[in-house]
Amino acid sequence: MSTPDGVQESRAAWRLGIITPRRKRIFFGLLVVLGLVLPYLVYPVFLMNVLCMALFASAFNLLLGYTGLLSFGHAAFLGTAGYVTGWLLRSVGLPVELGVLAGTAVATVLGWAIGALAIRRSGIYFAMITLGFAQMIYFLAVQLPFTGGEDGLQGIPQGKALGFVPLHNPYALYYFVFAIFALGFAVIYRTIHSPFGHVLRSIRENEARALSLGYDVERYKLVAFVISAGLAGLAGSTKALVLQFVTLTDVHWHKSGEVVLMTLLGGMGTVMGPSVGALLVVAMENYLTGFGDWVTVIVGTVFVAGVLAFRRGIVGEALHLARNFPF
Amino acid sequence: MTAPTATGDGLILETRHLTKDFRGFVAVSDVSLRVRRGTIHALIGPNGAGKTTVFNLLTKFLPPSSGAILYKGEDITHERPAEVARKGMIRSFQVSAVFPNLTVLENVRVALQRRLGTSFHFWKSDHTLQVLHGRALELLEAVDLAGHRDTVAVELPYGRKRALEIATTLALDPEMLLLDEPTQGMGHEDVGRVVELIRRVAADRTVLMVEHNLSVVADLCHTITVLQRGSILAEGPYAEVSRNPQVLEAYIGVAE
């Protein structure tokens, strides 16, 4: 797989001193402040939706942007974790934290099972194997009684964080979700910038060469896949908690496509790209509901126009622009 | 140049009746190679002679149809490529094998990194890799690339990419180097530089190289194996091989 252009742009930005450790700290500091203030300015449920999808897309980008693997079945992890968390909170009555953790754990194990088979192939075959498994998960979600089938799994109680913070309060819930997002994002960020992340990058750049240097590339790909699946699961569990329901759309292949779209739109292989893409897509879906079925057409048009005009994705293009107009 | 004297167990790499059959097309047929430790051994032959296939068989990038491969007396016929690499036999590629969007320093560092044993540590900061910079720069120094440490590899001219590739390979301190056409596509000065480099690194290593530039092979290699249509046509030092009438007919006629 060829290297995504966003990667080149982030590298250039580092090299040219557009991104420096200091600027990075300031940038993330500002983001945290913004994240803390924002629920008082914007509808919190919308924000939480964005955070969940941003985490989902960032987890996906760990594979696509940093390992060079295009998974076309990531909805399986999002949806499965959502169903597991929803069922555990509603029907078993587990505390919120445990419910979210359990959903994440199940997605991680599922990621290991699917990943172990899928990584034996690459390119389009890899994508199709992941899609095939995701379709099986979809089938299970339709058939199994606990998912509620076509009706979905509804009425998930939000409970109390740490046993005393009532999460039905939208602000409390928001900060809970924000903390989960920050944690998940930090894990992804660290993974990208770890010794392991450097090996992943070398695999993406030249798999045969990485192999000839003595790296068992399949094992590295599998670990990346499992981390990505687990964090996609964390996003799904959190989303179930936010919306209080899980439906078949969460395991449908549309969702797997949507996350590709968000990542490409925002800029694959960039740290912030998937989050920006998620914000854009969720915002369109939310604020354009008045257009009914036309939303899909509008989102599709924006995607096509975006990818044609901004080949590197929004963040990739922004970095490219900064390269030409250094500050 | 005199070859180190061969002793009974002076072999580092040996193949026995190696054969590769691509659905009826026999690319490599009954090749029994014997590479002595500490020598520079060349594999030559006209296009389509099966040199690269032999190479891919040796490094386990292709499974053989039959025959055996022994490295340091151990049967590696069914090992995986990464395993063979960890045993100290490292290959290069015909098209230059750098990591294009990593910097020159990072290219070498990735090779050094495996020894730290932290390559699966996704929770550690990449600042922990800085301990490798000293060694990486030494290796770059050896191929005149230290001044380009922060250049992205894709931006290097071709000859320099090959030099970077060799530095990356040396980072693993391999006992045996397999070079696939190391001077291919190079200008005259670059060829000279790479030949010098190979001679230098071969001082305490074994090198097996595929090459079709005969002048390179003549000066550099102790033993030459000539392949033709998948089989060994002749083997021996350059002086001997280059007088072999069959070789002259099959190969020298093809070269300039």
Side-chain angles (χ1 to χ4, degrees), chain A residues 216-258:
Chain A
D216 275 315
V217 295
E218 290 199 347
R219 287 175 61 202
Y220 289 85
K221 284 180 178 177
L222 180 58
V223 173
F225 196 92
V226 171
I227 295 173
S228 176
L231 290 168
L234 179 62
S237 294
T238 313
K239 187 166 175 284
L241 185 68
V242 170
L243 299 177
Q244 297 187 272
F245 61 79
V246 183
T247 65
L248 289 174
T249 57
D250 291 321
V251 279
H252 196 272
W253 64 269
H254 280 177
K255 257 304 181 262
S256 301
E258 203 176 80

mmCIF file of all heavy atoms in Angstrom, chain A residues 216-258:
data_model
loop_
_atom_site.group_PDB
_atom_site.id
_atom_site.type_symbol
_atom_site.label_atom_id
_atom_site.label_comp_id
_atom_site.label_asym_id
_atom_site.label_seq_id
_atom_site.Cartn_x
_atom_site.Cartn_y
_atom_site.Cartn_z
ATOM 1 N N ASP A 216 8.890 -10.072 12.557
ATOM 2 C CA ASP A 216 7.766 -10.917 12.170
ATOM 3 C C ASP A 216 6.589 -9.993 11.909
ATOM 4 O O ASP A 216 5.797 -9.713 12.808
ATOM 5 C CB ASP A 216 7.399 -11.876 13.314
ATOM 6 C CG ASP A 216 8.248 -13.119 13.278
ATOM 7 O OD1 ASP A 216 8.419 -13.671 12.183
ATOM 8 O OD2 ASP A 216 8.735 -13.522 14.347
ATOM 9 N N VAL A 217 6.466 -9.521 10.681
ATOM 10 C CA VAL A 217 5.496 -8.450 10.425
ATOM 11 C C VAL A 217 4.071 -8.859 10.794
ATOM 12 O O VAL A 217 3.288 -8.031 11.238
ATOM 13 C CB VAL A 217 5.553 -7.950 8.965
ATOM 14 C CG1 VAL A 217 6.874 -7.297 8.675
ATOM 15 C CG2 VAL A 217 5.314 -9.059 7.987
ATOM 16 N N GLU A 218 3.759 -10.135 10.657
ATOM 17 C CA GLU A 218 2.381 -10.549 10.962
ATOM 18 C C GLU A 218 2.043 -10.344 12.426
ATOM 19 O O GLU A 218 0.928 -9.956 12.769
ATOM 20 C CB GLU A 218 2.165 -12.016 10.568
ATOM 21 C CG GLU A 218 2.173 -12.196 9.067
ATOM 22 C CD GLU A 218 1.520 -13.504 8.627
ATOM 23 O OE1 GLU A 218 1.288 -14.363 9.499
ATOM 24 O OE2 GLU A 218 1.266 -13.647 7.431
ATOM 25 N N ARG A 219 3.025 -10.580 13.290
ATOM 26 C CA ARG A 219 2.740 -10.394 14.718
ATOM 27 C C ARG A 219 2.535 -8.925 15.050
ATOM 28 O O ARG A 219 1.687 -8.571 15.872
ATOM 29 C CB ARG A 219 3.862 -10.985 15.561
ATOM 30 C CG ARG A 219 3.824 -12.514 15.555
ATOM 31 C CD ARG A 219 5.014 -13.111 16.281
ATOM 32 N NE ARG A 219 5.072 -12.738 17.680
ATOM 33 C CZ ARG A 219 6.200 -12.767 18.396
ATOM 34 N NH1 ARG A 219 7.330 -13.111 17.821
ATOM 35 N NH2 ARG A 219 6.186 -12.442 19.665
ATOM 36 N N TYR A 220 3.327 -8.064 14.391
ATOM 37 C CA TYR A 220 3.168 -6.628 14.644
ATOM 38 C C TYR A 220 1.813 -6.141 14.127
ATOM 39 O O TYR A 220 1.120 -5.372 14.785
ATOM 40 C CB TYR A 220 4.308 -5.835 14.004
ATOM 41 C CG TYR A 220 5.605 -6.042 14.727
ATOM 42 C CD1 TYR A 220 6.417 -7.130 14.436
ATOM 43 C CD2 TYR A 220 5.993 -5.180 15.746
ATOM 44 C CE1 TYR A 220 7.602 -7.343 15.130
ATOM 45 C CE2 TYR A 220 7.168 -5.375 16.440
ATOM 46 C CZ TYR A 220 7.974 -6.464 16.125
ATOM 47 O OH TYR A 220 9.129 -6.673 16.815
ATOM 48 N N LYS A 221 1.449 -6.629 12.948
ATOM 49 C CA LYS A 221 0.155 -6.243 12.392
ATOM 50 C C LYS A 221 -0.972 -6.708 13.308
ATOM 51 O O LYS A 221 -1.947 -5.993 13.520
ATOM 52 C CB LYS A 221 -0.037 -6.885 11.020
ATOM 53 C CG LYS A 221 0.727 -6.245 9.901
ATOM 54 C CD LYS A 221 0.400 -7.016 8.638
ATOM 55 C CE LYS A 221 1.071 -6.447 7.415
ATOM 56 N NZ LYS A 221 0.757 -7.287 6.238
ATOM 57 N N LEU A 222 -0.818 -7.919 13.850
ATOM 58 C CA LEU A 222 -1.876 -8.450 14.708
ATOM 59 C C LEU A 222 -2.028 -7.599 15.967
ATOM 60 O O LEU A 222 -3.145 -7.251 16.352
ATOM 61 C CB LEU A 222 -1.583 -9.912 15.069
ATOM 62 C CG LEU A 222 -2.624 -10.568 15.974
ATOM 63 C CD1 LEU A 222 -4.010 -10.537 15.332
ATOM 64 C CD2 LEU A 222 -2.244 -12.011 16.303
ATOM 65 N N VAL A 223 -0.906 -7.239 16.596
ATOM 66 C CA VAL A 223 -0.996 -6.413 17.805
ATOM 67 C C VAL A 223 -1.658 -5.075 17.463
ATOM 68 O O VAL A 223 -2.543 -4.604 18.194
ATOM 69 C CB VAL A 223 0.393 -6.202 18.445
ATOM 70 C CG1 VAL A 223 0.304 -5.211 19.601
ATOM 71 C CG2 VAL A 223 0.959 -7.531 18.932
ATOM 72 N N ALA A 224 -1.272 -4.484 16.318
ATOM 73 C CA ALA A 224 -1.891 -3.220 15.911
ATOM 74 C C ALA A 224 -3.391 -3.411 15.710
ATOM 75 O O ALA A 224 -4.200 -2.571 16.122
ATOM 76 C CB ALA A 224 -1.247 -2.700 14.629
ATOM 77 N N PHE A 225 -3.751 -4.529 15.099
ATOM 78 C CA PHE A 225 -5.165 -4.804 14.833
ATOM 79 C C PHE A 225 -5.941 -4.928 16.138
ATOM 80 O O PHE A 225 -7.035 -4.387 16.285
ATOM 81 C CB PHE A 225 -5.301 -6.088 14.003
ATOM 82 C CG PHE A 225 -6.646 -6.263 13.366
ATOM 83 C CD1 PHE A 225 -6.886 -5.807 12.077
ATOM 84 C CD2 PHE A 225 -7.687 -6.872 14.057
ATOM 85 C CE1 PHE A 225 -8.124 -5.955 11.488
ATOM 86 C CE2 PHE A 225 -8.937 -7.020 13.482
ATOM 87 C CZ PHE A 225 -9.149 -6.558 12.186
ATOM 88 N N VAL A 226 -5.352 -5.643 17.094
ATOM 89 C CA VAL A 226 -6.033 -5.858 18.379
ATOM 90 C C VAL A 226 -6.207 -4.534 19.125
ATOM 91 O O VAL A 226 -7.281 -4.247 19.669
ATOM 92 C CB VAL A 226 -5.251 -6.889 19.230
ATOM 93 C CG1 VAL A 226 -5.812 -6.953 20.638
ATOM 94 C CG2 VAL A 226 -5.307 -8.262 18.573
ATOM 95 N N ILE A 227 -5.165 -3.699 19.139
ATOM 96 C CA ILE A 227 -5.276 -2.398 19.813
ATOM 97 C C ILE A 227 -6.374 -1.574 19.140
ATOM 98 O O ILE A 227 -7.236 -0.980 19.803
ATOM 99 C CB ILE A 227 -3.939 -1.624 19.762
ATOM 100 C CG1 ILE A 227 -2.869 -2.369 20.555
ATOM 101 C CG2 ILE A 227 -4.112 -0.210 20.313
ATOM 102 C CD1 ILE A 227 -1.473 -1.771 20.430
ATOM 103 N N SER A 228 -6.347 -1.569 17.804
ATOM 104 C CA SER A 228 -7.339 -0.797 17.060
ATOM 105 C C SER A 228 -8.750 -1.303 17.338
ATOM 106 O O SER A 228 -9.670 -0.509 17.583
ATOM 107 C CB SER A 228 -7.017 -0.884 15.569
ATOM 108 O OG SER A 228 -8.002 -0.236 14.821
ATOM 109 N N ALA A 229 -8.920 -2.618 17.336
ATOM 110 C CA ALA A 229 -10.252 -3.193 17.592
ATOM 111 C C ALA A 229 -10.710 -2.876 19.005
ATOM 112 O O ALA A 229 -11.868 -2.510 19.235
ATOM 113 C CB ALA A 229 -10.213 -4.706 17.372
ATOM 114 N N GLY A 230 -9.806 -2.986 19.965
ATOM 115 C CA GLY A 230 -10.153 -2.715 21.359
ATOM 116 C C GLY A 230 -10.619 -1.280 21.547
ATOM 117 O O GLY A 230 -11.641 -1.024 22.203
ATOM 118 N N LEU A 231 -9.900 -0.332 20.922
ATOM 119 C CA LEU A 231 -10.270 1.068 21.094
ATOM 120 C C LEU A 231 -11.541 1.409 20.314
ATOM 121 O O LEU A 231 -12.335 2.243 20.751
ATOM 122 C CB LEU A 231 -9.112 1.971 20.676
ATOM 123 C CG LEU A 231 -7.936 1.900 21.662
ATOM 124 C CD1 LEU A 231 -6.705 2.560 21.084
ATOM 125 C CD2 LEU A 231 -8.311 2.540 22.990
ATOM 126 N N ALA A 232 -11.736 0.741 19.164
ATOM 127 C CA ALA A 232 -13.008 0.901 18.452
ATOM 128 C C ALA A 232 -14.129 0.412 19.353
ATOM 129 O O ALA A 232 -15.216 0.998 19.413
ATOM 130 C CB ALA A 232 -12.980 0.130 17.137
ATOM 131 N N GLY A 233 -13.856 -0.676 20.095
ATOM 132 C CA GLY A 233 -14.831 -1.191 21.058
ATOM 133 C C GLY A 233 -15.110 -0.197 22.170
ATOM 134 O O GLY A 233 -16.262 0.039 22.533
ATOM 135 N N LEU A 234 -14.050 0.418 22.668
ATOM 136 C CA LEU A 234 -14.231 1.431 23.722
ATOM 137 C C LEU A 234 -15.157 2.540 23.219
ATOM 138 O O LEU A 234 -16.050 2.999 23.942
ATOM 139 C CB LEU A 234 -12.867 2.009 24.128
ATOM 140 C CG LEU A 234 -12.866 3.096 25.200
ATOM 141 C CD1 LEU A 234 -13.426 2.566 26.513
ATOM 142 C CD2 LEU A 234 -11.458 3.648 25.423
ATOM 143 N N ALA A 235 -14.952 2.935 21.965
ATOM 144 C CA ALA A 235 -15.821 3.964 21.371
ATOM 145 C C ALA A 235 -17.264 3.461 21.314
ATOM 146 O O ALA A 235 -18.206 4.204 21.632
ATOM 147 C CB ALA A 235 -15.328 4.326 19.972
ATOM 148 N N GLY A 236 -17.452 2.192 20.935
ATOM 149 C CA GLY A 236 -18.800 1.635 20.829
ATOM 150 C C GLY A 236 -19.493 1.532 22.179
ATOM 151 O O GLY A 236 -20.675 1.859 22.314
ATOM 152 N N SER A 237 -18.758 1.087 23.192
ATOM 153 C CA SER A 237 -19.328 0.978 24.542
ATOM 154 C C SER A 237 -19.757 2.348 25.049
ATOM 155 O O SER A 237 -20.825 2.510 25.646
ATOM 156 C CB SER A 237 -18.291 0.396 25.511
ATOM 157 O OG SER A 237 -17.989 -0.920 25.167
ATOM 158 N N THR A 238 -18.907 3.334 24.809
ATOM 159 C CA THR A 238 -19.203 4.687 25.273
ATOM 160 C C THR A 238 -20.417 5.254 24.546
ATOM 161 O O THR A 238 -21.286 5.899 25.150
ATOM 162 C CB THR A 238 -17.979 5.598 25.047
ATOM 163 O OG1 THR A 238 -16.826 4.913 25.525
ATOM 164 C CG2 THR A 238 -18.121 6.902 25.779
ATOM 165 N N LYS A 239 -20.485 4.967 23.249
ATOM 166 C CA LYS A 239 -21.600 5.446 22.443
ATOM 167 C C LYS A 239 -22.915 4.847 22.952
ATOM 168 O O LYS A 239 -23.938 5.537 23.033
ATOM 169 C CB LYS A 239 -21.363 5.031 20.991
ATOM 170 C CG LYS A 239 -22.339 5.584 19.985
ATOM 171 C CD LYS A 239 -21.771 5.377 18.583
ATOM 172 C CE LYS A 239 -22.739 5.804 17.499
ATOM 173 N NZ LYS A 239 -23.833 4.857 17.275
ATOM 174 N N ALA A 240 -22.879 3.567 23.319
ATOM 175 C CA ALA A 240 -24.079 2.915 23.841
ATOM 176 C C ALA A 240 -24.557 3.619 25.106
ATOM 177 O O ALA A 240 -25.752 3.815 25.329
ATOM 178 C CB ALA A 240 -23.792 1.440 24.127
ATOM 179 N N LEU A 241 -23.592 4.022 25.913
ATOM 180 C CA LEU A 241 -23.915 4.699 27.166
ATOM 181 C C LEU A 241 -24.516 6.082 26.900
ATOM 182 O O LEU A 241 -25.463 6.501 27.561
ATOM 183 C CB LEU A 241 -22.625 4.835 27.982
ATOM 184 C CG LEU A 241 -22.737 5.396 29.381
ATOM 185 C CD1 LEU A 241 -23.466 4.409 30.271
ATOM 186 C CD2 LEU A 241 -21.349 5.693 29.938
ATOM 187 N N VAL A 242 -23.971 6.759 25.906
ATOM 188 C CA VAL A 242 -24.422 8.112 25.588
ATOM 189 C C VAL A 242 -25.846 8.093 25.047
ATOM 190 O O VAL A 242 -26.725 8.822 25.515
ATOM 191 C CB VAL A 242 -23.482 8.779 24.552
ATOM 192 C CG1 VAL A 242 -24.087 10.085 24.043
ATOM 193 C CG2 VAL A 242 -22.115 9.023 25.166
ATOM 194 N N LEU A 243 -26.091 7.242 24.041
ATOM 195 C CA LEU A 243 -27.383 7.246 23.353
ATOM 196 C C LEU A 243 -28.422 6.395 24.057
ATOM 197 O O LEU A 243 -29.608 6.484 23.776
ATOM 198 C CB LEU A 243 -27.210 6.760 21.918
ATOM 199 C CG LEU A 243 -26.281 7.609 21.041
ATOM 200 C CD1 LEU A 243 -26.129 6.993 19.662
ATOM 201 C CD2 LEU A 243 -26.806 9.043 20.934
ATOM 202 N N GLN A 244 -27.971 5.539 24.974
ATOM 203 C CA GLN A 244 -28.834 4.618 25.720
ATOM 204 C C GLN A 244 -29.489 3.564 24.854
ATOM 205 O O GLN A 244 -30.449 2.917 25.260
ATOM 206 C CB GLN A 244 -29.904 5.383 26.521
ATOM 207 C CG GLN A 244 -29.266 6.275 27.581
ATOM 208 C CD GLN A 244 -30.311 6.891 28.468
ATOM 209 O OE1 GLN A 244 -30.836 7.950 28.148
ATOM 210 N NE2 GLN A 244 -30.628 6.229 29.562
ATOM 211 N N PHE A 245 -29.031 3.431 23.634
ATOM 212 C CA PHE A 245 -29.495 2.316 22.801
ATOM 213 C C PHE A 245 -28.411 1.921 21.814
ATOM 214 O O PHE A 245 -27.522 2.700 21.508
ATOM 215 C CB PHE A 245 -30.799 2.663 22.061
ATOM 216 C CG PHE A 245 -30.676 3.838 21.125
ATOM 217 C CD1 PHE A 245 -30.100 3.698 19.866
ATOM 218 C CD2 PHE A 245 -31.132 5.101 21.502
ATOM 219 C CE1 PHE A 245 -29.985 4.780 19.000
ATOM 220 C CE2 PHE A 245 -31.013 6.185 20.651
ATOM 221 C CZ PHE A 245 -30.439 6.030 19.393
ATOM 222 N N VAL A 246 -28.515 0.667 21.359
ATOM 223 C CA VAL A 246 -27.625 0.169 20.303
ATOM 224 C C VAL A 246 -28.525 -0.440 19.248
ATOM 225 O O VAL A 246 -29.461 -1.164 19.578
ATOM 226 C CB VAL A 246 -26.660 -0.924 20.832
ATOM 227 C CG1 VAL A 246 -25.710 -1.378 19.736
ATOM 228 C CG2 VAL A 246 -25.876 -0.411 22.033
ATOM 229 N N THR A 247 -28.278 -0.107 17.991
ATOM 230 C CA THR A 247 -29.120 -0.695 16.943
ATOM 231 C C THR A 247 -28.243 -1.368 15.891
ATOM 232 O O THR A 247 -27.020 -1.301 15.958
ATOM 233 C CB THR A 247 -29.979 0.371 16.234
ATOM 234 O OG1 THR A 247 -29.091 1.254 15.553
ATOM 235 C CG2 THR A 247 -30.842 1.143 17.202
ATOM 236 N N LEU A 248 -28.911 -1.988 14.927
ATOM 237 C CA LEU A 248 -28.196 -2.701 13.872
ATOM 238 C C LEU A 248 -27.293 -1.771 13.049
ATOM 239 O O LEU A 248 -26.327 -2.219 12.446
ATOM 240 C CB LEU A 248 -29.188 -3.404 12.946
ATOM 241 C CG LEU A 248 -29.900 -4.617 13.575
ATOM 242 C CD1 LEU A 248 -30.959 -5.162 12.638
ATOM 243 C CD2 LEU A 248 -28.893 -5.706 13.931
ATOM 244 N N THR A 249 -27.615 -0.461 13.036
ATOM 245 C CA THR A 249 -26.765 0.453 12.253
ATOM 246 C C THR A 249 -25.334 0.462 12.790
ATOM 247 O O THR A 249 -24.397 0.741 12.060
ATOM 248 C CB THR A 249 -27.287 1.904 12.272
ATOM 249 O OG1 THR A 249 -27.367 2.327 13.635
ATOM 250 C CG2 THR A 249 -28.624 2.034 11.605
ATOM 251 N N ASP A 250 -25.182 0.141 14.095
ATOM 252 C CA ASP A 250 -23.840 0.163 14.680
ATOM 253 C C ASP A 250 -22.965 -1.000 14.213
ATOM 254 O O ASP A 250 -21.753 -0.950 14.363
ATOM 255 C CB ASP A 250 -23.931 0.156 16.210
ATOM 256 C CG ASP A 250 -24.494 1.464 16.736
ATOM 257 O OD1 ASP A 250 -24.143 2.519 16.186
ATOM 258 O OD2 ASP A 250 -25.310 1.416 17.682
ATOM 259 N N VAL A 251 -23.587 -2.079 13.715
ATOM 260 C CA VAL A 251 -22.785 -3.191 13.195
ATOM 261 C C VAL A 251 -22.903 -3.303 11.680
ATOM 262 O O VAL A 251 -22.345 -4.199 11.067
ATOM 263 C CB VAL A 251 -23.190 -4.559 13.810
ATOM 264 C CG1 VAL A 251 -22.563 -4.732 15.175
ATOM 265 C CG2 VAL A 251 -24.690 -4.714 13.868
ATOM 266 N N HIS A 252 -23.671 -2.390 11.085
ATOM 267 C CA HIS A 252 -23.889 -2.459 9.645
ATOM 268 C C HIS A 252 -22.635 -2.020 8.896
ATOM 269 O O HIS A 252 -21.867 -1.207 9.390
ATOM 270 C CB HIS A 252 -25.063 -1.547 9.280
ATOM 271 C CG HIS A 252 -25.622 -1.823 7.925
ATOM 272 N ND1 HIS A 252 -25.134 -1.236 6.794
ATOM 273 C CD2 HIS A 252 -26.638 -2.632 7.534
ATOM 274 C CE1 HIS A 252 -25.816 -1.668 5.744
ATOM 275 N NE2 HIS A 252 -26.734 -2.522 6.169
ATOM 276 N N TRP A 253 -22.463 -2.536 7.668
ATOM 277 C CA TRP A 253 -21.235 -2.181 6.945
ATOM 278 C C TRP A 253 -21.183 -0.710 6.558
ATOM 279 O O TRP A 253 -20.123 -0.167 6.262
ATOM 280 C CB TRP A 253 -20.991 -3.097 5.746
ATOM 281 C CG TRP A 253 -22.016 -3.038 4.657
ATOM 282 C CD1 TRP A 253 -23.126 -3.816 4.551
ATOM 283 C CD2 TRP A 253 -22.020 -2.180 3.526
ATOM 284 N NE1 TRP A 253 -23.825 -3.488 3.426
ATOM 285 C CE2 TRP A 253 -23.175 -2.501 2.767
ATOM 286 C CE3 TRP A 253 -21.165 -1.179 3.068
ATOM 287 C CZ2 TRP A 253 -23.490 -1.823 1.585
ATOM 288 C CZ3 TRP A 253 -21.483 -0.512 1.895
ATOM 289 C CH2 TRP A 253 -22.644 -0.841 1.163
ATOM 290 N N HIS A 254 -22.354 -0.030 6.580
ATOM 291 C CA HIS A 254 -22.340 1.421 6.367
ATOM 292 C C HIS A 254 -21.403 2.106 7.360
ATOM 293 O O HIS A 254 -20.702 3.047 7.015
ATOM 294 C CB HIS A 254 -23.746 2.009 6.570
ATOM 295 C CG HIS A 254 -24.623 1.816 5.373
ATOM 296 N ND1 HIS A 254 -25.938 2.203 5.358
ATOM 297 C CD2 HIS A 254 -24.377 1.282 4.171
ATOM 298 C CE1 HIS A 254 -26.470 1.905 4.178
ATOM 299 N NE2 HIS A 254 -25.532 1.342 3.448
ATOM 300 N N LYS A 255 -21.452 1.610 8.608
ATOM 301 C CA LYS A 255 -20.597 2.205 9.656
ATOM 302 C C LYS A 255 -19.124 1.972 9.336
ATOM 303 O O LYS A 255 -18.294 2.854 9.532
ATOM 304 C CB LYS A 255 -20.893 1.562 11.009
ATOM 305 C CG LYS A 255 -21.733 2.337 11.994
ATOM 306 C CD LYS A 255 -21.262 3.696 12.356
ATOM 307 C CE LYS A 255 -22.179 4.355 13.357
ATOM 308 N NZ LYS A 255 -23.151 5.271 12.767
ATOM 309 N N SER A 256 -18.828 0.762 8.822
ATOM 310 C CA SER A 256 -17.436 0.456 8.452
ATOM 311 C C SER A 256 -16.975 1.377 7.336
ATOM 312 O O SER A 256 -15.807 1.774 7.283
ATOM 313 C CB SER A 256 -17.304 -0.999 7.988
ATOM 314 O OG SER A 256 -17.705 -1.864 9.006
ATOM 315 N N GLY A 257 -17.908 1.712 6.428
ATOM 316 C CA GLY A 257 -17.566 2.624 5.335
ATOM 317 C C GLY A 257 -17.423 4.041 5.846
ATOM 318 O O GLY A 257 -16.527 4.780 5.429
ATOM 319 N N GLU A 258 -18.314 4.404 6.773
ATOM 320 C CA GLU A 258 -18.312 5.766 7.289
ATOM 321 C C GLU A 258 -16.982 6.119 7.954
ATOM 322 O O GLU A 258 -16.482 7.231 7.826
ATOM 323 C CB GLU A 258 -19.443 5.893 8.314
ATOM 324 C CG GLU A 258 -19.920 7.300 8.539
ATOM 325 C CD GLU A 258 -21.097 7.300 9.505
ATOM 326 O OE1 GLU A 258 -20.868 7.206 10.732
ATOM 327 O OE2 GLU A 258 -22.241 7.369 9.035
#
